[in-house]
Amino acid sequence: MSVNRCLRLFSRLQPHINPRAARIAACSRSVSPGSVLSHEQHPTGSVGLCRHASSSSSSRKPPDTSLFVPVSLKTDSALDGSVGAELTQPLDKDELLKVLNRFYKKKEMQKLAADHGLDARLFHQAFISFRKYVLEMKSLAADLHIILSDICCGAGHIDDIYPYFMRHAKQIFPMLDCMDDLRKISDLRVPANWYPEARAIERKVIFHAGPTNSGKTYHAIQRYLAAKSGVYCGPLKLLAHEIFEKSNEAGVPCDLVTGEERTFVDLEGRASDHVACTIEMCSVTTPYEVAVIDEIQMIRDPSRGWAWTRALLGLCAEEIHVCGESAAIDFVRELMYTTGEEVEVRTYQRLTPFSIMDQAVESLDNLRPGDCIVCFSKNDIYSLSRQIEARGLECAVIYGSLPPGTKLSQAKKFNDPDDPCKILVATDAIGMGLNLSIKRIIFNSLVKPNVNEKGEKQMETISTSQALQIAGRAGRFSSKFKEGEVTTMHRDDLPVLKEILSHCVDPIETAGLHPTAEQIEMFAYHLPDATLSNLVDIFVSLSQVDGMYFVCNIDDFKFLADMIQHIPLNLRSRYVFCTAPINKKQPFVCTSFLKFARQFSRDEPLTFDWVCRHVSWPLAAPKNIKDLMHLEAVHDVLDLYLWLSYRFMDMFPDTGSVREIQRELDDIIQQGVRNITRLIRASDATINDTTQAQNRRGLAASGGNLTSGRGQRGSGQMMNSSLASRLVKDGLLTPDLLQQLQREWSKDHKQEFTNPSAFDTEHHNNNNKGKRKKKKK
């Protein structure tokens, strides 16, 4: 090699030599924990070994490294080409593999890596990636090539690989280099400081404590109406709409703000001094004289609790009127202690008493006018409403997925003294938001599906708080029933209900928090290759909260984030889409959400005509329960459009037209609910027709000749058709599941006829097995 060629090669290698010497010296001095000198990360990507990594992590919870997804690296050739190979020699891959495996097995290397954030899981993943990188790259960086060549030749120490291994590890796990920054961003220990406008004023907090129907919210609203400006924050659209109407009827101009609706009383669109809103929509920067926060006990809700925390800590109002259960008094006082604000407590007693009956209803024949049967399943509602109307009684139906207009229509029908409808069948959706003239609450069941703090679904007995919220609807001060009664449908449930209601409501101990869009954006700045779902997971795993708070469940958020991950959206838009309140149990709603996001990503406005084509508008009145459920899903899709239209006005421009067809759809759904028993009968008829068709196909497959044993089995299936109808009617079986069972039975039935001896052979084998077992004994 010429002298000039050598000089040119060494000049290209020069930037690597000094850092390499420093790194090797640092590692060779000692490999014990905490003894590595501090070398901060350089822009060139050289290794940074920081002493404070281990010391600072000792006082913090370790991150959940299962959430760390390695970043894929490009396998392009090194910038300095084949300089390393020219200075030394090509690497022997077999010998190199042995060297790398020896490095992996060294306990000192694993321990040193753990001190710098690589636990056993990450160390293994990083090593697999590093080994693949070294063995598959056509040309390595010169400094790494020289080190590996020296080790293979016996001129270097295997520990010298460590700095280069760590450099690679930080490239595939970029969070290792910015863990301190990520921890600071996800530090949620002092949420009161997030709201400087609220901390800048002296607020007076008044807690109106009492049970359902005690007048606590009424007194708070009277102060709200008397104030120069005010905001009402409620948990439901129905409650916000009720306050909106009451305020305007009282001569106090009031606007309505929900996730899907903005209604300004001023014809020119100027904001009024009073606003009624759902709690997620309240402004924490607008100054008010009075703010009312309703149902404060929901501050501990696993999914929505963050909204009450935000309102309580952040509203800029001279007076904050908090309404809710007495179980929240001590916690609110403790929370306000962190802001330096005192809490005045005003307690209220129930205006109309309710008593627990000594007997269960046991039969629908024992129903009386003013009864409300509470179910925790839509199938139970369908079954009971059918049975009630079969007895010549009319009933109203209310459940959560019905549109607000339909709920109000059914409540009005039940409350009307001139309407023959005197029975109500409802879910726990009646617990708040509707004024109902109920004499007796009847619990059809005391078990309901619930989501725990981990986001897992499970069946649980209702809590004392839930039972009191529902039971409190019996008897109402403003209705004709001045005293309420509470009982159960089944005799065995009555002592359980009495025990539940005899307990005190568990005191509230924690409040919910949720990462903001700004916090997630800062995370994304440090982890640009991570998905939104992964960013949120890492945020929650690193988040620090004190004993008064918890991070709300984010499963729904992640579900939507994963659904649209493949769609090209900027982070802020993606975050907003994922906070949309949709029912993920509805396939049509999820499909629509996906199509909305895809259309949005193409920068193509979602026009009224586009929406009509998507939902197949106009829609006909429902003919059965399946049709009714689809109409409810379409209503949810239109709600989603309206919700997005207030976040992306240019892309969802036809708000007025969509709202108009939503009102028409509400009327169609109301018509269906009024005829719900007819829809149930139509659904049962469809099931029976399907069953009979399956039976006919089974008979045709057998040629119409059924021998004695198989003939009995066929007739048994015919008898089972009526049993199937009862199971579906009682909510123990869904029509889709029934049809699947019928298809499987039909398939087995055909196999039996094509192989007549199969059943006898199986029976004979089972008998022989039994005999062999007896012999063994």
Side-chain angles (χ1 to χ4, degrees), residues 13 17 36 126 237 328 351 446 460 467 653 694 739 764:
L13 185 60
I17 294 177
V36 181
K237 287 184 283 187
L351 299 175
L446 297 175
E460 284 186 345
Q694 293 283 358
Q739 291 179 16
H764 175 73

PDB file of all heavy atoms in Angstrom, residues 13 17 36 126 237 328 351 446 460 467 653 694 739 764:
ATOM      1  N   LEU A  13      -9.858   7.964   9.424  1.00  0.00           N
ATOM      2  CA  LEU A  13     -10.085   7.239  10.679  1.00  0.00           C
ATOM      3  C   LEU A  13      -9.907   8.111  11.905  1.00  0.00           C
ATOM      4  O   LEU A  13     -10.391   7.793  12.984  1.00  0.00           O
ATOM      5  CB  LEU A  13      -9.110   6.050  10.737  1.00  0.00           C
ATOM      6  CG  LEU A  13      -9.246   5.069  11.912  1.00  0.00           C
ATOM      7  CD1 LEU A  13     -10.636   4.444  11.907  1.00  0.00           C
ATOM      8  CD2 LEU A  13      -8.190   3.975  11.826  1.00  0.00           C
ATOM      9  N   ILE A  17     -10.481   7.723  16.593  1.00  0.00           N
ATOM     10  CA  ILE A  17      -9.405   7.191  17.434  1.00  0.00           C
ATOM     11  C   ILE A  17      -9.510   7.684  18.874  1.00  0.00           C
ATOM     12  O   ILE A  17      -9.505   6.912  19.813  1.00  0.00           O
ATOM     13  CB  ILE A  17      -8.020   7.544  16.828  1.00  0.00           C
ATOM     14  CG1 ILE A  17      -7.866   6.810  15.482  1.00  0.00           C
ATOM     15  CG2 ILE A  17      -6.910   7.176  17.783  1.00  0.00           C
ATOM     16  CD1 ILE A  17      -6.581   7.137  14.745  1.00  0.00           C
ATOM     17  N   VAL A  36     -18.108   3.824  36.160  1.00  0.00           N
ATOM     18  CA  VAL A  36     -17.821   4.292  34.801  1.00  0.00           C
ATOM     19  C   VAL A  36     -17.823   5.806  34.772  1.00  0.00           C
ATOM     20  O   VAL A  36     -18.721   6.448  35.313  1.00  0.00           O
ATOM     21  CB  VAL A  36     -18.876   3.735  33.823  1.00  0.00           C
ATOM     22  CG1 VAL A  36     -18.565   4.208  32.417  1.00  0.00           C
ATOM     23  CG2 VAL A  36     -18.873   2.207  33.887  1.00  0.00           C
ATOM     24  N   ALA A 126     -31.291  -6.384  22.847  1.00  0.00           N
ATOM     25  CA  ALA A 126     -30.232  -5.555  22.270  1.00  0.00           C
ATOM     26  C   ALA A 126     -29.096  -6.425  21.721  1.00  0.00           C
ATOM     27  O   ALA A 126     -28.534  -6.141  20.658  1.00  0.00           O
ATOM     28  CB  ALA A 126     -29.697  -4.582  23.312  1.00  0.00           C
ATOM     29  N   LYS A 237     -75.088  14.449  28.741  1.00  0.00           N
ATOM     30  CA  LYS A 237     -75.690  15.438  27.840  1.00  0.00           C
ATOM     31  C   LYS A 237     -77.098  15.801  28.304  1.00  0.00           C
ATOM     32  O   LYS A 237     -77.513  16.954  28.194  1.00  0.00           O
ATOM     33  CB  LYS A 237     -75.727  14.882  26.411  1.00  0.00           C
ATOM     34  CG  LYS A 237     -74.380  14.833  25.729  1.00  0.00           C
ATOM     35  CD  LYS A 237     -74.495  14.378  24.291  1.00  0.00           C
ATOM     36  CE  LYS A 237     -74.693  12.889  24.197  1.00  0.00           C
ATOM     37  NZ  LYS A 237     -74.640  12.394  22.801  1.00  0.00           N
ATOM     38  N   ALA A 328     -67.518  11.830  49.479  1.00  0.00           N
ATOM     39  CA  ALA A 328     -66.444  12.580  48.819  1.00  0.00           C
ATOM     40  C   ALA A 328     -65.978  13.788  49.619  1.00  0.00           C
ATOM     41  O   ALA A 328     -65.022  14.457  49.222  1.00  0.00           O
ATOM     42  CB  ALA A 328     -66.905  13.034  47.433  1.00  0.00           C
ATOM     43  N   LEU A 351     -85.568  14.355  50.512  1.00  0.00           N
ATOM     44  CA  LEU A 351     -86.867  15.033  50.647  1.00  0.00           C
ATOM     45  C   LEU A 351     -88.022  14.053  50.756  1.00  0.00           C
ATOM     46  O   LEU A 351     -89.034  14.343  51.388  1.00  0.00           O
ATOM     47  CB  LEU A 351     -87.087  15.963  49.442  1.00  0.00           C
ATOM     48  CG  LEU A 351     -86.058  17.089  49.278  1.00  0.00           C
ATOM     49  CD1 LEU A 351     -86.301  17.854  47.992  1.00  0.00           C
ATOM     50  CD2 LEU A 351     -86.102  18.029  50.476  1.00  0.00           C
ATOM     51  N   LEU A 446     -78.725  -8.267  40.741  1.00  0.00           N
ATOM     52  CA  LEU A 446     -77.799  -7.438  41.520  1.00  0.00           C
ATOM     53  C   LEU A 446     -76.369  -7.573  41.007  1.00  0.00           C
ATOM     54  O   LEU A 446     -75.434  -7.108  41.651  1.00  0.00           O
ATOM     55  CB  LEU A 446     -77.858  -7.830  43.008  1.00  0.00           C
ATOM     56  CG  LEU A 446     -79.212  -7.614  43.697  1.00  0.00           C
ATOM     57  CD1 LEU A 446     -79.177  -8.152  45.115  1.00  0.00           C
ATOM     58  CD2 LEU A 446     -79.591  -6.139  43.702  1.00  0.00           C
ATOM     59  N   GLU A 460     -69.747  -8.292  38.563  1.00  0.00           N
ATOM     60  CA  GLU A 460     -69.612  -7.905  39.963  1.00  0.00           C
ATOM     61  C   GLU A 460     -70.969  -7.569  40.552  1.00  0.00           C
ATOM     62  O   GLU A 460     -71.855  -7.052  39.850  1.00  0.00           O
ATOM     63  CB  GLU A 460     -68.701  -6.674  40.104  1.00  0.00           C
ATOM     64  CG  GLU A 460     -67.228  -6.952  39.955  1.00  0.00           C
ATOM     65  CD  GLU A 460     -66.387  -5.721  40.257  1.00  0.00           C
ATOM     66  OE1 GLU A 460     -66.974  -4.610  40.298  1.00  0.00           O
ATOM     67  OE2 GLU A 460     -65.178  -5.853  40.435  1.00  0.00           O
ATOM     68  N   ALA A 467     -76.181   0.997  44.142  1.00  0.00           N
ATOM     69  CA  ALA A 467     -77.511   0.602  44.597  1.00  0.00           C
ATOM     70  C   ALA A 467     -78.292   1.804  45.115  1.00  0.00           C
ATOM     71  O   ALA A 467     -79.494   1.950  44.830  1.00  0.00           O
ATOM     72  CB  ALA A 467     -77.394  -0.467  45.689  1.00  0.00           C
ATOM     73  N   PRO A 653     -67.619  19.536   7.358  1.00  0.00           N
ATOM     74  CA  PRO A 653     -68.251  20.857   7.198  1.00  0.00           C
ATOM     75  C   PRO A 653     -69.767  20.883   7.330  1.00  0.00           C
ATOM     76  O   PRO A 653     -70.329  21.937   7.590  1.00  0.00           O
ATOM     77  CB  PRO A 653     -67.835  21.248   5.775  1.00  0.00           C
ATOM     78  CG  PRO A 653     -67.710  19.941   5.056  1.00  0.00           C
ATOM     79  CD  PRO A 653     -67.234  18.955   6.053  1.00  0.00           C
ATOM     80  N   GLN A 694     -83.422 -25.151   9.013  1.00  0.00           N
ATOM     81  CA  GLN A 694     -82.309 -26.054   9.319  1.00  0.00           C
ATOM     82  C   GLN A 694     -82.814 -27.484   9.466  1.00  0.00           C
ATOM     83  O   GLN A 694     -82.197 -28.439   9.008  1.00  0.00           O
ATOM     84  CB  GLN A 694     -81.599 -25.606  10.612  1.00  0.00           C
ATOM     85  CG  GLN A 694     -80.880 -24.278  10.517  1.00  0.00           C
ATOM     86  CD  GLN A 694     -79.575 -24.413   9.773  1.00  0.00           C
ATOM     87  OE1 GLN A 694     -79.192 -25.497   9.367  1.00  0.00           O
ATOM     88  NE2 GLN A 694     -78.894 -23.286   9.565  1.00  0.00           N
ATOM     89  N   GLN A 739     -77.901 -19.473  15.660  1.00  0.00           N
ATOM     90  CA  GLN A 739     -77.734 -19.894  14.277  1.00  0.00           C
ATOM     91  C   GLN A 739     -76.423 -20.656  14.089  1.00  0.00           C
ATOM     92  O   GLN A 739     -76.357 -21.618  13.333  1.00  0.00           O
ATOM     93  CB  GLN A 739     -77.780 -18.677  13.354  1.00  0.00           C
ATOM     94  CG  GLN A 739     -79.160 -18.030  13.268  1.00  0.00           C
ATOM     95  CD  GLN A 739     -79.169 -16.816  12.363  1.00  0.00           C
ATOM     96  OE1 GLN A 739     -78.252 -16.616  11.588  1.00  0.00           O
ATOM     97  NE2 GLN A 739     -80.222 -16.013  12.459  1.00  0.00           N
ATOM     98  N   HIS A 764     -70.181 -47.853  21.453  1.00  0.00           N
ATOM     99  CA  HIS A 764     -69.547 -49.115  21.803  1.00  0.00           C
ATOM    100  C   HIS A 764     -68.171 -48.867  22.424  1.00  0.00           C
ATOM    101  O   HIS A 764     -67.801 -49.469  23.433  1.00  0.00           O
ATOM    102  CB  HIS A 764     -69.425 -49.980  20.546  1.00  0.00           C
ATOM    103  CG  HIS A 764     -68.677 -51.267  20.772  1.00  0.00           C
ATOM    104  ND1 HIS A 764     -69.219 -52.332  21.470  1.00  0.00           N
ATOM    105  CD2 HIS A 764     -67.423 -51.653  20.382  1.00  0.00           C
ATOM    106  CE1 HIS A 764     -68.334 -53.325  21.519  1.00  0.00           C
ATOM    107  NE2 HIS A 764     -67.240 -52.931  20.859  1.00  0.00           N
TER     108      HIS A 764
END
